[in-house]
């Protein structure tokens, strides 16, 4: 009997530890606001939803992204950060932007939403912030840009781009996608789709005067095709030049070339002296020496950008199981591409973002896990496994600096 | 409450009857003359004495309190020839009277149905070793609802719709749906490409019964269904009749058909002709699930159909049944947008062909029975989607990038399909209680793609491409009855699948699409064992295990040449199904019967075919694994001649067993989780009151019914996050109706209200359903029901 009374308290204590023990070590050490939010799509698992998963600093150590703090949204969601806010918009469903506030405990709380269009299939492609009180959202199918106030979450006006003079074929469907702001002008990349993802030939950009919200010109460069896609595919370098990722209909159209075009600082036309044409290049270190198009890009510094690019030699036609995309360093000034020491990814996860000197890649790899990998822009050190394991395909990331 | 009542009655009977017992008794056993098997449910009536009984499972009857004298005793049962015996009782000696009954061949009107008892066909279907729910078609004859609405109230079954009449409908059986649930009509698999015939096109009054197989597909069907199948058995009337009916429902829905069946005695030919049409406006209002506060009136959801059949049944030939039929079916359907305001796109389809049915008991030899059903069916489907504008719900329009409202390109398709199939079954009676069956099911489906508008837009030349899919399923099974109580069914099955022809590989974009010539074939083996055991009076145990396959459909293998790329390497899905069941069936007096059935099951599925996005296109892959398990139970009680109640419940889990995130070595977070968008728990109940001549007079029939169904909430996605937004909410739907027939059921009126309280009803996320609807029906018929 004495032994029973001796062991029972010990059992109770042990049980307490076991009961309180959490399979997810993140729970015990999570502190502070989220530094990163993943938009993780579950389509590969047969579920038409995405999860917005906040990640705190101390979770970027090989932990698994904490779904218990996640928000369920429609599939193909994309995200953007401004101050303490996270903005989420579904690429395919609902023309609505939702806003979440970062909390000190690492969670997100939804505090506002704004319906950008009653045309639910309008497809919000990209959001850029002009200021704390002004933002542009491009609606690809509806061919317009909605100007809204991200602080009050109210719509200000619409910029109608469905005009024949703003499309390459006169069909009044420019399909606005990625955008970039520079010196009071917003440059809007146009998909100009014939049959998505097939675009018409050429790279086409609409230039909008931000002060008046008025389209000023429509510029084209036929050397490359399909100007920009999602966020960070049109960016400004340290010199003030704009670079544009042209992804040439995923390489599906013979004759269309992929690469980077440039609009120099102070200019509103394509730089005819610059075309980083990698379609016609042989790239060392990639299988077969050829690459077709970047799925995503992110500028770092000093003319160096990073991205995820497809390699046709590794593609057998099986999108689910083929890992045919490289993580690459892009030297825009010297026009070179170098594969990074990161594993190949499938086409389901190709997100790229930047946090300080760390370039973050959302990848789905064959044998090294799925989630966010990192590459240090300064040291060149790459993670061999995810710094954050993801439950699905990381399609977009928002970083809070 | 009911249980206490029953117990009290039993006690009363046990105590009182020995005290007050008087008079003489007669007892005996009734068997089938053909095979000496006992017949349950035979009404044994002492004519002119207001006394009688029904035979139990062992065919035994007992009648007490008979005075001495000479009496006529009548033995009657649906499907059997009535037998009348004259007997003489004396005061001292109980009488034993055994009878055998023969099958009735024509004119069931000779049978006087003075008691409600289960028809032999229903009984035989329910008491198979496999788990099955059977719905008596006679209870549906007066209703104006649809087949899918009827089966939606069965254990293990949930129907999921995207709209109203003519909308995409999927039947979910124990968590499996779509191509995994095979639909049969009279044992012939229904092939339903877009625009073709659906089970809702069969008027309810022509249904003899609906059999819902859960877990094991009976070998005589031959087809594959991954363990779930629904067989609609139509009435095979033995006499001439005509039938005309018209139904009107909410939201501008009209349906009617006329059927004429005429017996030519000199030439021994039964001629049949049927024509029907349907029109549905489907113009109900719904709240947009995408735009807050937007009410949408469905103004582009019209559905129209015309259907008919002419058939000749040659009787008096060598064959017991020799029937040739020529059906036709035409429909068109506007496509209603919910996310966007579709205003132009629509589909249409047509079908015709020829059907042959041959049956012969004693084919070539007295012990061999043969059934053959074959058909050649030709159909076409069309998609018209060429709008240059997209429309908003506020009436405005915008230029259309895609040149089509539902796809990314314009479409004006004219796809054709040829479908040749047969089912051949031989049943050999080795000896009493032992049968050997051979079944061969053959399907040859040839598709041809035509869409010159899409071709011109994409600068491709895919029109005219043809491809064939051949499925052959052969089985041999042994039926064995052991020790009178045990019945065994052992089956071995072979599956052969071949795809051959030209399809389109969209992997490198439509502009680079390649015509691929494929010729792939596969052979698989499966089998099953089913058993039933009468372990006590009124009780039956069932056991079934099956290893089966679901062969890929032509559309999964070939794609659609537009957005779904081909994958000719698809393997059949395979499953191991195990089911245990218990049944209780007690007809405890002339009009009262209590039935109970309960099942538990487990199923493991691998190589599940699932569709995934692929850089702007879709593709099918063998990537899923799942474990399904659950239980269902049902109680049915014919309380007396007038009242009937039913209650059933289903609990089903569909667990993801895909261990890794597809294409990676990352453990999947959804492993061991309930798969999304599948109902888990639901209840159904009904209350029925039927009475002849309720308001006096004669030849009248009245029925009042109420039924309800509760479905617990389930999630659109995996339940992974704390903030889970997308839920199909729980719902409780009530339906009530009345039927009134006169002139010996030749003229019928019915009225039904579905969803009495206009409860918000969702079976698919973001597809609001119509809410409360009314149906009214009038019918004139000489078909006995």
């Amino acid at each position: 009997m004495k032994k029973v009374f001796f062991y029972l308290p010990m059992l109770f204590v042990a049980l307490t530890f076991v009961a309180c023990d959490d399979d997810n070590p993140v729970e015990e050490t999570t502190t502070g606001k989220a530094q990163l939010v993943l938009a993780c799509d579950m389509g590969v698992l047969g579920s038409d939803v995405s999860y917005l998963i906040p990640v705190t600093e101390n979770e970027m150590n090989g932990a698994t992204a904490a779904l218990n703090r996640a928000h369920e949204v429609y599939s193909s969601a994309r995200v953007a950060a401004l101050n303490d806010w996270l903005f989420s918009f579904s690429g395919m469903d609902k023309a609505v932007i939702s806003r979440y506030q970062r909390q000190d405990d690492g969670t997100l709380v939804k505090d506002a939403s704004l319906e950008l269009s009653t045309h639910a299939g309008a497809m919000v492609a990209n959001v850029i912030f002009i200021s704390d009180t002004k933002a542009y959202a491009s609606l690809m199918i509806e061919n317009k840009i909605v100007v809204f106030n991200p602080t009050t979450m109210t719509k200000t006006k619409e910029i109608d781009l469905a005009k024949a003079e703003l499309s390459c074929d006169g069909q009044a469907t420019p399909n606005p996608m990625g955008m970039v702001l520079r010196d009071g002008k917003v440059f809007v990349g146009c998909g100009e789709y014939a049959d998505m993802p097939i675009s018409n030939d050429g790279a086409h950009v609409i230039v909008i005067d931000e002060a008046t919200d008025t389209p000023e010109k429509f510029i084209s460069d036929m050397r490359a095709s399909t100007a920009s896609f999602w966020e960070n595919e049109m960016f400004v370098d340290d010199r003030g030049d704009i670079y544009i990722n042209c992804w040439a209909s995923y390489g599906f159209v013979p004759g269309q070339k992929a690469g980077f075009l440039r609009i120099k600082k102070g200019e509103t036309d394509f730089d005819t002296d610059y075309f980083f044409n990698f379609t016609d290049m042989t790239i060392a270190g990639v299988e077969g020496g050829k690459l077709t198009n970047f799925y995503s890009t992110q500028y770092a510094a000093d003319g160096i950008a990073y991205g995820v690019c497809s390699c046709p030699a590794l593609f057998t036609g099986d999108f689910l199981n083929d890992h045919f995309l490289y993580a690459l360093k892009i030297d825009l000034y010297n026009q070179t591409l170098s594969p990074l020491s990161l594993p190949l990814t499938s086409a389901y996860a190709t997100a790229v973002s930047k946090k300080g000197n760390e370039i973050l890649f959302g990848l789905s790899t064959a044998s090294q896990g799925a989630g966010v990998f990192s590459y240090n822009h300064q040291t060149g050190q790459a993670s061999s496994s995810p710094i954050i394991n993801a439950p699905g395909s990381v399609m977009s990331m928002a970083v809070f600096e | 409450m009911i249980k206490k009542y029953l117990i009290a009655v039993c006690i009363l009977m046990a105590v009182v009857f020995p005290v007050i017992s008087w008079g003489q008794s007669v007892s005996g056993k009734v068997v089938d003359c053909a095979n000496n098997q006992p017949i349950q449910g035979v009404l044994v009536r002492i004519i002119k004495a207001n006394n009688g009984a029904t035979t139990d499972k062992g065919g035994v009857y007992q009648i007490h309190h008979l005075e001495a004298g000479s009496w006529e005793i009548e033995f009657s049962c649906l499907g059997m020839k009535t037998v009348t015996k004259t007997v003489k009782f004396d005061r001292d000696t109980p009488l034993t009277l055994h009878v055998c009954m023969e099958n009735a061949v024509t004119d069931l009107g000779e049978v006087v149905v003075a008691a409600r008892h289960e028809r032999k066909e229903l009984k035989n279907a329910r008491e198979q070793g496999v788990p099955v729910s059977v719905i008596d078609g006679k209870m549906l004859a007066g209703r104006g609802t649809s087949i899918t609405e009827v089966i939606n109230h069965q254990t293990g079954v949930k129907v999921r719709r995207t709209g109203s009449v003519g909308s995409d409908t999927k039947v979910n059986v124990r968590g499996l749906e779509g191509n995994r649930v095979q639909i049969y009509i009279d044992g012939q698999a229904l092939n339903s490409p877009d625009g073709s015939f659906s089970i809702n096109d069969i008027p309810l009054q022509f249904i003899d019964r609906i059999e819902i197989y859960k877990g094991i597909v009976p070998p005589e069907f031959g087809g594959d269904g991954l363990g779930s199948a629904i067989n609609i058995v139509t009435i095979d009337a033995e006499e001439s009749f005509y039938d005309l009916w018209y139904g009107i429902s909410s939201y501008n829905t009209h349906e009617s058909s006329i059927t004429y069946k005429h017996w030519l005695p000199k030439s021994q030919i039964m001629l049949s002709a049927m024509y029907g049409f349907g029109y549905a406006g489907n113009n109900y209002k719904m709240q947009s699930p995408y735009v807050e506060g937007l009410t949408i009136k469905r103004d582009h959801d019209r559905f129209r159909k015309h259907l008919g059949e002419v058939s000749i049944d040659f009787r008096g030939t060598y064959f017991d049944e020799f029937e040739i039929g020529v059906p036709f079916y035409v429909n068109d359907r506007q496509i209603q947008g919910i996310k966007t305001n579709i205003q132009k796109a629509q589909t249409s389809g047509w079908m015709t062909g020829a059907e042959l049915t041959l049956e012969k008991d004693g084919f070539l030899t007295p012990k061999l029975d043969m059934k053959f059903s074959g058909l050649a069916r030709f159909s076409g489907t069309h998609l018209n989607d060429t709008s240059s504008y997209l429309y908003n719900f506020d009436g405005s329009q915008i230029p259309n990038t895609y040149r089509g409202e539902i796809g990314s390109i314009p479409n004006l398709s004219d796809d054709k399909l040829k479908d040749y199939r047969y089912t051949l079954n031989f049943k050999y009676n080795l000896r009493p209680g032992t049968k050997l069956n051979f079944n061969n099911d053959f399907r040859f489906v040839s598709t041809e793609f035509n869409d010159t508008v899409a071709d011109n837009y994409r600068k491709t030349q895919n029109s005219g491409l043809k491809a064939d899919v051949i499925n052959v399923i052969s089985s041999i099974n042994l039926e064995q009855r052991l020790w009178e109580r045990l019945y065994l069914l052992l089956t071995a099955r072979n599956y052969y699948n071949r795809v051959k022809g030209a399809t389109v590989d969209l992997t490198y974009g439509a502009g680079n699409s390649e015509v691929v010539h494929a010729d792939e074939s596969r052979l698989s083996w499966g089998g099953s064992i089913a058993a039933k055991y009468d372990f006590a009076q009124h009780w039956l145990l069932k056991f079934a295990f099956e290893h089966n396959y679901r062969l890929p459909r032509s559309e999964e293998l070939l794609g659609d040449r537009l957005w779904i790329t081909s994958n000719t390497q698809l393997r059949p899905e395979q499953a191991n199904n195990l089911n245990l069941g218990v049944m209780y069936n007690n007809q405890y007096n002339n009009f009262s019967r209590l039935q109970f059935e309960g099942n538990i099951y487990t199923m493991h599925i691998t190589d599940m075919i699932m569709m995934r996005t692929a850089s702007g296109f879709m593709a099918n892959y063998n990537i899923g694994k799942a474990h399904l398990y659950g239980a269902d139970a049902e109680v049915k009680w014919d309380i007396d001649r007038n009242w009937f109640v039913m209650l059933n419940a289903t609990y089903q889990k569909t667990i993801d067993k895909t261990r890794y995130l597809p294409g990676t070595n990352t453990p999947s977070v959804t492993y061991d989780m309930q798969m999304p968008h599948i109902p888990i728990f639901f209840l159904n109940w009904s209350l029925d009151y039927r009475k002849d001549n309720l308001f006096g007079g004669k030849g009248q029939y009245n029925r009042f019914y109420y039924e309800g169904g509760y479905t617990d909430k389930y999630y659109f996605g995996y339940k992974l996050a704390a903030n889970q937004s997308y839920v199909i909410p729980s719902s409780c739907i009530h339906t009530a109706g009345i039927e009134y027939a006169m002139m010996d059921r030749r003229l019928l009126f019915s009225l039904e209200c579905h969803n009495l309280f206009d409860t918000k009803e969702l079976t698919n996320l973001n597809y609001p359903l119509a809410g409360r609807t009314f149906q009214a029906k009038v019918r004139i018929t000489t078909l006995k029901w």
Side-chain angles (χ1 to χ4, degrees), chain A residues 42-49 51 64 67-74 92-94 96 108 115 117-121 123 140-143 162 169 171-173 175 193-198 250-254 295 315-321 323 347-348 364-370 390-392, chain B residues 289-292 294 338-341 390-394 398-403 408-409 457-458 505-512 563 610-617 621 623 656 658 660-670 676 715-727 765-766:
Chain A
M42 308 300 278
V44 75
L45 288 164
S47 180
D48 289 332
V49 299
Y51 289 102
T64 299
L67 277 165
N68 61 331
R69 305 202 308 272
H71 289 260
E72 184 188 45
V73 294
Y74 282 126
M92 306 296 178
D93 294 284
K94 281 197 175 186
V96 170
L108 298 169
E115 188 173 84
S117 173
T118 57
H119 188 100
M123 195 167 167
M140 192 198 87
I141 294 297
E142 217 172 356
N143 295 292
D169 55 2
Q171 295 292 328
T173 54
N175 306 127
Y193 295 115
D195 171 17
M196 191 176 180
I198 309 297
Y250 283 150
F252 290 162
V253 181
Y295 277 56
F315 182 58
T316 68
D318 183 352
F319 278 96
L320 198 64
N321 295 297
H323 298 82
Y348 287 96
S364 284
T365 74
S367 59
Q368 290 173 254
Chain B
Y290 297 100
V291 181
E292 188 103 11
L294 175 65
I338 299 177
K339 189 190 297 186
T340 58
N341 187 16
L390 294 176
Y391 301 91
N392 292 320
F393 287 108
D394 61 7
I398 56 175
N400 186 0
T401 298
Y402 292 149
R403 313 294 187 265
S408 62
I409 60 170
Y457 189 83
R458 283 183 164 173
D505 185 351
L506 298 168
T507 307
Y508 296 96
N512 284 335
W563 302 290
M610 295 178 163
M611 188 177 289
R612 294 291 180 264
T613 58
S615 279
F617 300 93
Y621 298 95
I623 52 172
D656 179 28
T658 307
Y660 298 102
L661 202 62
T664 77
N665 68 334
T666 301
S668 171
V669 295
T670 62
Y715 290 90
F716 179 67
Y718 286 95
K719 196 170 179 302
L720 287 167
N723 304 289
Q724 202 84 8
S725 307
Y726 308 124
V727 180
L765 191 71
N766 296 335

Side-chain angles (χ1 to χ4, degrees), chain A residues 146-290:
Chain A
V146 172
V147 185
F148 70 99
N149 184 328
T151 298
T152 61
M153 288 294 275
T154 51
K155 191 189 290 189
T156 308
K157 65 167 66 168
E158 294 183 357
I159 306 172
D160 182 14
L161 302 179
K163 300 176 190 303
E165 62 270 24
L166 296 179
S167 66
C168 69
D169 55 2
Q171 295 292 328
T173 54
N175 306 127
M177 299 284 292
M179 299 177 286
V180 68
L181 170 69
R182 185 191 70 180
D183 300 331
K185 307 290 182 194
V186 175
F187 296 78
V188 183
C190 299
E192 293 284 353
Y193 295 115
D195 171 17
M196 191 176 180
I198 309 297
S199 68
N200 292 313
D201 291 343
H204 310 280
V205 170
I206 297 172
V207 184
I208 297 176
D209 177 53
E210 178 269 311
T212 61
D213 300 317
T214 306
E216 289 187 331
K217 62 197 302 187
F218 177 76
I219 59 175
S220 301
D221 191 325
M222 302 308 289
R223 292 176 294 171
S225 292
T226 333
S228 91
F229 208 159
W230 307 111
E231 64 271 12
N232 302 326
E233 296 195 33
M234 296 176 73
F235 47 84
V236 182
D237 75 349
D238 311 320
R239 301 171 182 172
D241 296 333
I242 292 173
Y243 287 84
I244 302 162
N245 170 39
C246 300
W247 50 278
S249 307
Y250 283 150
F252 290 162
V253 181
Q256 286 190 356
K257 298 191 191 300
F260 292 89
L261 294 172
R262 183 168 70 188
I263 301 175
K264 295 195 75 171
K265 182 176 172 62
E267 304 285 333
T268 56
D269 287 296
F270 286 103
D271 179 0
T272 55
D273 294 326
Y274 183 90
F275 173 33
F276 183 176
N277 169 15
F278 61 81
T279 297
D280 294 332
M281 285 170 61
T282 299
I283 297 113
V286 303
E287 189 74 25
K290 292 295 184 186

Side-chain angles (χ1 to χ4, degrees), chain B residues 265-559:
Chain B
K266 280 189 181 175
S267 45
Q268 297 277 289
I269 288 176
M270 180 77 86
L271 287 173
S272 302
M274 187 277 279
Y275 166 74
F277 81 89
Y279 176 95
N282 293 324
N283 52 343
Y284 62 91
K285 288 185 182 175
M286 60 185 183
Q287 294 302 309
S288 168
Y290 297 100
V291 181
E292 188 103 11
L294 175 65
T295 300
I296 299 171
K297 183 171 183 183
R298 297 171 73 103
D299 61 356
H300 195 254
D301 201 16
R302 185 197 68 211
F303 174 75
R304 296 184 295 200
K305 66 179 180 187
H306 298 269
L307 65 160
E309 183 168 6
V310 175
S311 67
I312 304 177
D313 189 353
F314 298 94
R315 300 187 185 175
T317 66
Y318 170 73
F319 294 98
D320 300 325
E321 181 155 350
F322 178 4
E323 184 171 4
I324 298 173
V326 177
F328 79 92
Y329 180 82
V330 176
N331 77 8
D332 68 81
R333 181 162 72 99
Q334 294 177 333
I335 298 173
Q336 173 66 42
I338 299 177
K339 189 190 297 186
T340 58
N341 187 16
I342 297 172
Q343 287 293 292
K344 305 288 185 188
Q346 62 181 39
T347 64
S348 61
W350 60 269
M351 182 273 291
T352 188
E355 299 167 351
L356 170 66
T357 304
L358 297 170
E359 290 185 26
K360 174 67 181 174
D361 287 348
F363 178 71
L364 301 179
T365 161
K367 289 189 175 184
L368 183 66
D369 300 335
M370 185 277 289
K371 284 185 188 177
F372 173 88
S373 64
L375 66 85
R377 194 177 283 163
F378 311 99
S379 59
T381 56
H382 316 281
L383 169 61
N384 186 335
D385 183 24
T386 57
S387 177
S388 299
Y389 292 94
L390 294 176
Y391 301 91
N392 292 320
F393 287 108
D394 61 7
S396 61
Q397 63 184 46
I398 56 175
N400 186 0
T401 298
Y402 292 149
R403 313 294 187 265
E405 290 176 286
I406 58 173
S408 62
I409 60 170
N411 287 104
L412 193 61
S413 68
D414 180 22
D415 294 340
K416 292 189 173 51
L417 185 142
K418 293 178 188 171
D419 186 354
Y420 304 100
R421 57 176 73 185
Y422 72 78
T423 300
L424 175 63
N425 175 266
F426 290 107
K427 182 176 288 189
Y428 188 76
N429 297 287
L430 282 167
R431 57 176 180 269
T434 305
K435 294 189 179 75
L436 194 63
N437 290 275
F438 170 76
N439 204 87
N440 181 243
D441 184 86
F442 172 88
R443 284 183 240 169
F444 174 88
V445 177
S446 178
T447 59
E448 180 181 325
F449 169 80
N450 288 293
D451 194 332
T452 52
V453 169
D455 270 340
N456 288 339
Y457 189 83
R458 283 183 164 173
K459 299 181 179 58
T460 54
Q461 291 181 331
N462 295 332
S463 293
L465 291 180
K466 294 181 183 178
D468 305 330
V469 174
I470 300 168
N471 290 338
V472 183
I473 302 169
S474 306
S475 67
I476 185 163
N477 67 74
L478 178 70
E479 295 179 45
Q480 178 68 57
R481 182 170 286 282
L482 298 168
W483 311 299
E484 295 224 0
R485 289 175 175 267
L486 179 63
Y487 168 84
L488 281 178
L489 178 67
L490 301 169
T491 305
R493 198 177 255 162
N494 174 261
Y495 304 80
Y496 174 76
N497 166 250
R498 183 179 184 189
V499 57
K500 183 181 178 185
T503 183
V504 176
D505 185 351
L506 298 168
T507 307
Y508 296 96
N512 284 335
S513 61
E514 294 179 349
V515 174
V516 176
H517 293 275
D519 191 349
E520 303 281 341
S521 62
R522 290 184 196 279
L523 203 62
S524 309
W525 290 92
S528 67
I529 174 170
K532 62 169 181 164
Y533 179 63
D534 302 333
F535 70 94
Q537 191 181 25
H538 311 302
W539 289 94
L540 177 66
L541 275 180
K542 290 186 180 185
F543 166 83
F545 172 78
E546 183 175 52
H547 175 68
N548 62 15
Y549 293 85
R550 201 272 293 177
L551 301 175
R553 299 290 181 261
S554 58
E555 60 270 21
E556 291 169 324
L557 289 160
L558 304 173

Side-chain angles (χ1 to χ4, degrees), chain A residues 9-46:
Chain A
M10 290 184 66
L11 181 62
F12 174 77
V13 170
L15 284 173
T16 303
F17 276 112
V18 171
C20 294
D21 184 27
D22 200 311
D23 289 338
N24 185 350
V26 173
E27 290 275 14
E28 294 176 355
T29 57
T30 303
T31 56
K33 294 184 179 180
Q35 299 302 307
L36 175 67
V37 176
L38 309 180
C40 198
D41 190 78
M42 308 300 278
V44 75
L45 288 164

